[in-house]
Amino acid sequence: MSDLHVFRQESRDWLEENCPQSMRSPVIAGEGACWGGRNWTFASEDQKLWMERMGAKGWTAPDWPTEYGGGGLDKAQHKILKEEMARIRARSPLDSFGIWMIGPALLKFGSEALKQQHLPAIIRGEIRWCQGYSEPNAGSDLAGLQSKAVDMGDHFIANGQKVWTSYGDKADWMFCLLRTDPDAKKQMGISLVLFDMETPGVTPKPIKLISGSSPFCETFLDDVRVEKDQVVGEVNQGWTIAKYLLTHEREMIGGMGLTGAGSKTLGAIAAKTVGTTDGRLNDLFMRTDIARWEIDAAAFAFTAERVTDEAKAGQGIGATSAMLKYYGTELNKRRFETMLKIGGSDDLIWDGDISNNGWTARTLLRTKGNSIEGGTSEVQLNIIAKNILGLG
Amino acid sequence: MALVLNEEQQMLKESAQGFLSEHAPVSELRAQRDAGSDRGYSSTLWSQMVNMGWAAILVPEEYGGLAFGHVGMAQIVEQSGRTLTASPLLSTAILGVTAINFAGSEDQKTELLGAIAGGELTIALAVDEKIHHDPMQTAMPAVAKGDGYVLNGEKRFVVDGSTADKLIVATRTAGSPGDMKGISLFLVDRTASGVSVQRTEMLDGRNAAIITFTDVEVTADAMLGEQDRGFRALSATLDAGNAHLAAELLGIAQESFDRTLQYMKERKQFGALIGSFQALQHRTAHWWSEIEMCKSVVLKVLQSLDEEDLKGPALASIAKAKLCEVAELSTNEAIQLHGGIGMTDEYEIGFFIKRARPAQMLFGDYNYHANRFALISGY
Ligand SMILES: Cc1cc2nc3c(=O)[nH]c(=O)nc-3n(C[C@H](O)[C@H](O)[C@H](O)COP(=O)(O)OP(=O)(O)OC[C@H]3O[C@@H](n4cnc5c(N)ncnc54)[C@H](O)[C@@H]3O)c2cc1C
Ligand SMILES: Cc1cc2nc3c(=O)[nH]c(=O)nc-3n(C[C@H](O)[C@H](O)[C@H](O)COP(=O)(O)OP(=O)(O)OC[C@H]3O[C@@H](n4cnc5c(N)ncnc54)[C@H](O)[C@@H]3O)c2cc1C
C-alpha cells in the first residue's frame, strides 16, 4: 500500500471514531455552523467536541505547519482528507476568517512572534477574527482608505471608521488596514495591523441587511492603542499583504459556487415540488433553467479541481482567484434564483415553519452580497482584463 | 486522477501544434474550399497524419495500435480546432475505431482496426435520419432475408460519407422508433449496390452526405455487435464523438479568443486601443472565464472515457453542451469585436464560426445534450 493509501485508511478510521453522528449532515443556512471564539455559544455538545477534536489534531487548518498546531498535510493528503470528510458528510468543524484570511497572510508575512501568538489560537477556534478593510469612501477603491494610525513612539494611536465589518460585534480581534504615512502615494502608506476588539475606543455597531439579519457592522475607532509588534510585515508595506490576503478571501467566497457533497441536486428538489411525467419535470422551462445551472455548476466544480491540481503540478497561471470569485459568486446567485422558483410561493413566507423561517428567500438575498464582498464582480473582471489578459 | 495532462500527453499536444500549424493552417482549408475539392480534405495530409500514428491512437496494441487513449487523441483534435484542419480523424480514427472496438467480433477487429491504423481504410458513421439528432428514434429497417439482411432508408449529415470506404449504419431490426432495444449496426461498403450518395458541402467547406439505401443486401457477418443490441455500442461511440467534438470546439473557442485579444491590442479607435475600453474588457474577461470552464469539462470527460467509469454519458453531455454554448459565444464575440473586418471572407476570423456551427450540431447541440443530461440526472 502506498503512503497515501495508508493515510486515507488512517484518516477514515480517525474520522469514524471522532466525528459525532450529529456532525455528519450538511450545515443548512449557516445554522449549525461553528465560528468559535471567546463569545461563542456552542449549539450542542457535539459541535464543541467536533471543533475541539479537529482543532487538537490540527485539521481545522489541515495544510498549516505542525509547529503552529496545524495539520502539516501536503496537497495530496489534504485532498484525501476532504474526500474522506465528504464521504461521511462531515461538516466543517470551524468556519473562520482566521483560517481563511489572516492566517495565510501571517504564515507568509508575519514575524515568528506573531505566528506563535496568533496561529495556534486560530486553529483551536479560541479567537475569532474580523476584517477591517472597507470604509465609507473606500470600497472597490480600497487603497483610498483614510482611517489612520499615528506613530507615538512605542505604539500607534488609530482613528477612523470602518464599515461592512462582518461579525465585527462577535469577533475577538480585528486585522485592519490603516494609513500610517499620510504623505505617501495611495498604496504606499498603508499598514496591516492587529488589535483586540476589547481595546478601549473600538466600537462595532451592527447594520441590518436585506436578509433581515445583522452579520456586519460599522466599526468606529477612537484613539485606539495599537502595539508596534502587532504590525504584520513592515510598516507602510501593508498593501501587498492586503492583496495577498484578498486572493485567499476570493477563493473562499468563490467556493460558495460549489455545492457541498451530499446536498440534494436542484433537479431532485424540483421533482418533489412540480412533479414529473415520464422522467421529466412537469415545468419544462424550469427544467431547462435547472439543467443549464447544473451544467455550469459542474464545469465550475471541475475548474476548481483543475486549478488545484495544476497548482500542485506547478502548472497553470496562478492568478485564478479573481476568475473563481467572479464565476463562483455569479453561479451561487443563479442557484438561489432557481431555488426560489422551485420553492414557489411557500418560499416567499418570511417567518415560520412552512418556509423554515424564510430560508430560501433570505439566503437568496444574502447571496447578492457574494458578488460585492471581497471585491465586486466588476473589480474581478478588471483584474482579469489587466493582470491576465494584459488589456491596459 | 489529477485533472492535468501528463508529460507524454503534453508532448503530443506540442507536436500536434507544431505539425498542424505548419502543414494544415486555416489557409489550407481556404485553399481546399476554393479549389472545390471533392474530398473536403487533403489525402496527402491524411497520409502524413497516419504516418505519425494518429489514426492508431485509439486502437488497442493487439490490433496494431498505440492505445494512447482519449486524452492523448484529444490533444490533436483540440489543435485541429485551432487550425481548422479538415481530415477524417473524427469519423475514422475516433468514431470508426470506437464502434468497432466496442462491438466488433475478433475477426472484424483484426481486419478493420489494423487497416484503419495503417491508413488503408476510412469510415463514416451514418446515424441521423431527420434534421435533428436523436439516435433512439432510429427507424430505418434492416429486415432478415436468407442468411443476411436487406436495408432500406435514408441517412443524413453523414460526415465524410461521400469519401469513406465503409459506412457504419444504425438500423432498426425490432421494436419501434424510440425504443432502445431493437437497434442493430451494420458495416456497409459505400460502393455497394443500392447505396446512393449525395455529397453535401457544408458551410465549413467540408463534406457530409445524404445517403439513400435501396434494397441493399448485406451478409450476416456485416453486423457489428449483436442483433437488436446495437444501442450501447452506438451510445458509447457517440459519447466518444461528442467528447472529441467538445475538444475541437475548445480549440475553436480558444483560437477565436486569442486572435481577438491580439486584435484588441492592435486596433485603435478614438485615439486609443480598443482593448482599453472597459465595455470590451469586461466582455473579454467573462469570455476568458467561460473558456477556463471549458478546459475543465473537456479534460474531465476524456479522462472518464479512458478510465471507462460510469459517469461517461453524463460527462459527455455536460462537455458537449458547455462547449456548444461557449463556442457560440466565442465565435460571435470574435466577429463583433473585430468590427467590419470580421465580416469579410478575406479575413480568417470568420472561418471559425463556420466550422463551429456544424461541430456544435453534429451528434446533438446544446438543447439535445442539456435534455439528455437532465434525463440521466433523473429529471
Ligand atoms: C455581505 C458583505 C460582507 C462584507 N464584509 C466585509 C468585511 O468583513 N470587511 C470589510 O472590510 N469589508 C466587507 N465588505 C465590504 C466589501 O468589500 C465592499 O462592499 C466592496 O469592496 C465594494 O465596495 P462598496 O460597497 O464601497 O461599493 P463601490 O466601490 O462604491 O461600488 C459600487 C458599484 O460600482 C462598481 N465599480 C466600482 N469601481 C469600479 C470600476 N473601477 N470599474 C467598474 N465598476 C466599478 C462596483 O462593482 C459596484 O457595482 C462586505 C460587503 C458585503 C456586501
Ligand atoms: C455588412 C456591413 C455593411 C456596411 N456598409 C457600410 C456602408 O455602406 N457604408 C459605410 O460607410 N460603412 C459601412 N459599413 C461599416 C460600418 O459602419 C463599420 O464597420 C462600423 O462603424 C464599425 O467600424 P469598424 O469596422 O472600423 O470597427 P471598429 O470601430 O474598429 O470596432 C471594433 C470593435 O471595437 C468596439 N469599439 C470601438 N470603439 C469603442 C468604444 N469607444 N467603446 C466600446 N467599444 C468600442 C466596436 O463596438 C467593435 O466591437 C458596413 C459594415 C458592415 C459589417
Side-chain angles (χ1 to χ4, degrees):
Chain A
M1 256 197 325
S2 75
D3 290 352
L4 285 179
H5 277 98
V6 173
F7 177 77
R8 185 183 292 279
Q9 194 54 52
E10 286 174 1
S11 310
R12 186 173 292 189
D13 294 346
W14 190 90
L15 289 168
E16 199 49 64
E17 202 165 306
N18 289 283
C19 182
Q21 279 305 327
S22 69
M23 296 291 108
R24 300 184 188 193
S25 60
V27 167
I28 297 184
E31 234 170 88
C34 177
W35 287 90
R38 295 194 292 243
N39 308 318
W40 185 250
T41 316
F42 288 98
S44 65
E45 190 57 28
D46 280 353
Q47 188 188 55
K48 181 163 184 276
L49 262 181
W50 181 225
M51 183 191 90
E52 286 175 355
R53 285 173 177 169
M54 286 290 273
K57 189 142 177 92
W59 281 1
T60 49
D63 55 354
W64 290 11
T66 47
E67 51 192 304
Y68 308 114
L73 304 188
D74 63 26
K75 288 193 164 111
Q77 291 170 324
H78 192 180
K79 190 170 173 182
I80 288 174
L81 177 60
K82 281 189 205 160
E83 287 164 4
E84 287 304 316
M85 286 179 67
R87 202 181 63 86
I88 59 166
R89 309 202 324 160
R91 55 177 67 169
S92 161
L94 178 63
D95 288 352
S96 156
F97 289 5
I99 293 169
W100 299 330
M101 298 189 230
I102 188 62
L106 283 174
L107 279 169
K108 195 169 165 81
F109 297 100
S111 65
E112 190 53 38
L114 279 182
K115 290 185 206 175
Q116 295 285 2
Q117 181 187 352
H118 294 298
L119 296 179
I122 289 174
I123 293 166
R124 292 194 300 264
E126 291 162 2
I127 293 294
R128 183 174 183 181
W129 288 80
C130 64
Q131 176 185 35
Y133 272 33
S134 306
E135 296 181 5
N137 290 315
S140 298
D141 188 11
L142 182 61
L145 61 92
Q146 292 303 328
S147 295
K148 59 178 190 286
V150 176
D151 194 335
M152 307 299 285
D154 65 334
H155 66 279
F156 291 102
I157 289 292
N159 277 287
Q161 187 194 341
K162 293 290 170 181
V163 74
W164 321 131
T165 323
S166 295
Y167 309 115
D169 55 338
K170 304 201 171 63
D172 306 311
W173 276 66
M174 175 184 274
F175 54 93
C176 185
L177 288 178
L178 295 171
R179 190 158 294 288
T180 36
D181 182 351
D183 304 321
K185 234 186 73 198
K186 232 178 169 185
Q187 282 87 352
M188 303 308 296
I190 294 172
S191 301
L192 180 64
V193 305
L194 316 175
F195 53 80
D196 193 314
M197 291 298 280
E198 284 175 6
T199 315
V202 180
T203 318
K205 292 201 176 132
I207 303 170
K208 194 168 168 180
L209 293 194
I210 50 176
S211 59
S213 61
S214 301
F216 63 25
C217 299
E218 34 182 5
T219 306
F220 297 92
L221 307 175
D222 299 303
D223 291 333
V224 177
R225 183 184 166 107
V226 179
E227 301 305 334
K228 284 234 154 144
D229 62 2
Q230 297 301 313
V231 177
V232 184
E234 301 286 314
V235 174
N236 292 332
Q237 302 295 312
W239 184 246
T240 314
I241 308 170
K243 281 198 300 184
Y244 175 78
L245 188 149
L246 275 175
T247 62
H248 282 269
E249 180 179 9
R250 282 166 189 162
E251 274 167 31
M252 183 273 295
I253 298 171
M256 290 174 179
L258 300 169
T259 20
S263 53
K264 277 191 190 152
T265 65
L266 296 188
I269 302 171
K272 284 207 172 135
T273 66
V274 301
T276 59
T277 306
D278 297 333
R280 285 179 169 83
L281 291 178
N282 287 335
D283 182 333
L284 292 178
F285 285 96
M286 180 189 286
R287 179 171 181 266
T288 306
D289 276 353
I290 293 173
R292 273 186 190 282
W293 186 84
E294 289 196 335
I295 287 167
D296 289 348
F300 181 71
F302 301 151
T303 302
E305 187 182 336
R306 180 172 63 83
V307 166
T308 310
D309 289 345
E310 281 177 352
K312 199 159 53 179
Q315 301 174 8
I317 48 162
T320 45
S321 67
M323 179 266 290
L324 295 174
K325 205 269 172 185
Y326 164 65
Y327 209 95
T329 56
E330 295 298 333
L331 198 59
N332 203 36
K333 289 197 294 185
R334 260 170 74 201
R335 174 173 176 221
F336 280 90
E337 290 296 350
T338 311
M339 293 264 283
L340 186 66
K341 287 169 189 141
I342 293 170
S345 62
D346 275 1
D347 271 355
L348 299 174
I349 300 172
W350 194 240
D351 283 310
D353 291 343
I354 296 177
S355 65
N356 188 18
N357 291 317
W359 182 71
T360 305
R362 288 171 190 263
T363 313
L364 172 144
L365 292 165
R366 176 62 185 84
T367 60
K368 302 304 169 192
N370 296 160
S371 53
I372 299 171
E373 60 200 315
T376 66
S377 280
E378 292 72 25
V379 166
Q380 305 314 309
L381 292 172
N382 286 344
I383 292 173
I384 294 170
K386 287 207 167 56
N387 298 355
I388 302 177
L389 305 180
L391 294 172
Chain B
M1 175 178 257
L3 216 44
V4 289
L5 296 183
N6 66 30
E7 224 168 287
E8 288 172 314
Q9 292 158 349
Q10 187 65 36
M11 274 168 59
L12 181 56
K13 177 179 184 153
E14 282 158 24
S15 78
Q17 207 164 7
F19 175 82
L20 291 172
S21 51
E22 188 180 342
H23 297 275
V26 180
S27 53
E28 277 300 307
L29 177 67
R30 180 194 294 278
Q32 287 282 330
R33 181 197 69 177
D34 292 350
S37 145
D38 275 356
R39 289 204 149 262
Y41 65 87
S42 146
S43 314
T44 319
L45 178 73
W46 178 233
S47 303
Q48 288 172 307
M49 290 167 85
V50 168
N51 286 340
M52 283 186 296
W54 291 0
I57 285 179
L58 294 182
V59 177
E61 280 168 352
E62 61 263 44
Y63 303 111
L66 300 172
F68 197 62
H70 288 282
V71 176
M73 177 64 109
Q75 301 317 307
I76 300 168
V77 176
E78 184 183 322
Q79 291 310 312
S80 73
R82 281 183 174 269
T83 48
L84 298 180
T85 302
S87 83
L89 197 68
L90 176 71
S91 44
T92 298
I94 293 168
L95 300 169
V97 170
T98 305
I100 294 164
N101 196 37
F102 191 99
S105 64
E106 205 46 44
D107 284 351
Q108 285 169 328
K109 290 192 205 179
T110 309
E111 185 199 333
L112 303 173
L113 292 178
I116 291 176
E120 294 128 37
L121 177 70
T122 55
I123 305 268
L125 180 67
V127 45
D128 290 2
E129 294 170 16
K130 301 207 167 131
I131 53 176
H132 292 117
H133 177 71
D134 197 351
M136 232 190 277
Q137 289 295 331
T138 297
M140 174 174 158
V143 179
K145 182 185 170 197
D147 55 0
Y149 297 82
V150 182
L151 278 54
N152 273 293
E154 192 174 78
K155 293 286 180 183
R156 328 180 68 81
F157 202 7
V158 183
V159 168
D160 292 332
S162 64
T163 55
D165 303 312
K166 277 186 192 296
L167 310 170
I168 294 174
V169 188
T171 67
R172 187 157 288 284
T173 40
S176 25
D179 294 347
M180 204 181 283
K181 207 167 161 232
I183 291 174
S184 305
L185 305 179
F186 288 96
L187 279 156
V188 182
D189 284 344
R190 177 178 51 89
T191 51
S193 153
V195 176
S196 138
V197 178
Q198 179 195 346
R199 182 169 81 91
T200 51
E201 190 187 329
M202 313 304 265
L203 79 163
D204 56 357
R206 299 191 199 183
N207 278 330
I210 296 172
I211 303 183
T212 313
F213 299 80
T214 314
D215 295 331
V216 176
E217 298 195 11
V218 294
T219 54
D221 61 8
M223 189 179 283
L224 192 58
E226 277 180 74
Q227 175 167 322
D228 299 344
R229 297 180 183 280
F231 189 73
R232 269 189 61 217
L234 183 59
S235 286
T237 306
L238 292 168
D239 282 341
N242 277 311
H244 287 280
L245 283 163
E248 185 184 350
L249 287 165
L250 175 60
I252 292 174
Q254 291 184 101
E255 187 69 18
S256 312
F257 178 86
D258 290 351
R259 288 181 183 220
T260 307
L261 185 64
Q262 188 56 38
Y263 188 70
M264 291 169 74
K265 294 175 180 177
E266 293 162 4
R267 173 70 173 168
K268 277 191 173 170
Q269 286 289 281
F270 302 98
L273 293 171
I274 59 170
S276 68
F277 301 133
Q278 194 184 48
L280 302 191
Q281 289 180 349
H282 281 193
R283 276 164 74 168
T284 314
H286 170 78
W287 176 8
W288 177 83
S289 304
E290 287 288 11
I291 293 176
E292 287 296 305
M293 301 299 130
C294 290
K295 291 180 185 168
S296 324
V297 287
V298 168
L299 191 51
K300 195 76 182 180
V301 64
L302 294 164
Q303 286 188 348
S304 139
L305 291 178
D306 281 337
E307 285 170 30
E308 298 178 29
D309 67 26
L310 295 172
K311 293 187 184 134
L315 289 171
S317 280
I318 289 175
K320 184 69 184 308
K322 188 68 196 163
L323 267 294
C324 283
E325 178 199 340
V326 176
E328 194 166 309
L329 172 79
S330 225
T331 49
N332 288 339
E333 289 290 71
I335 293 180
Q336 178 63 22
L337 298 196
H338 272 84
I341 203 167
M343 290 294 294
T344 62
D345 184 66
E346 194 187 332
Y347 211 73
E348 285 182 353
I349 200 74
F351 277 67
F352 291 91
I353 189 173
K354 292 185 178 179
R355 172 55 194 159
R357 294 300 176 271
Q360 285 167 237
M361 206 179 280
L362 185 60
F363 308 142
D365 61 6
Y366 187 96
N367 294 346
Y368 174 84
H369 284 286
N371 178 55
R372 180 171 181 259
F373 168 72
L375 286 175
I376 293 172
S377 309
Y379 63 96

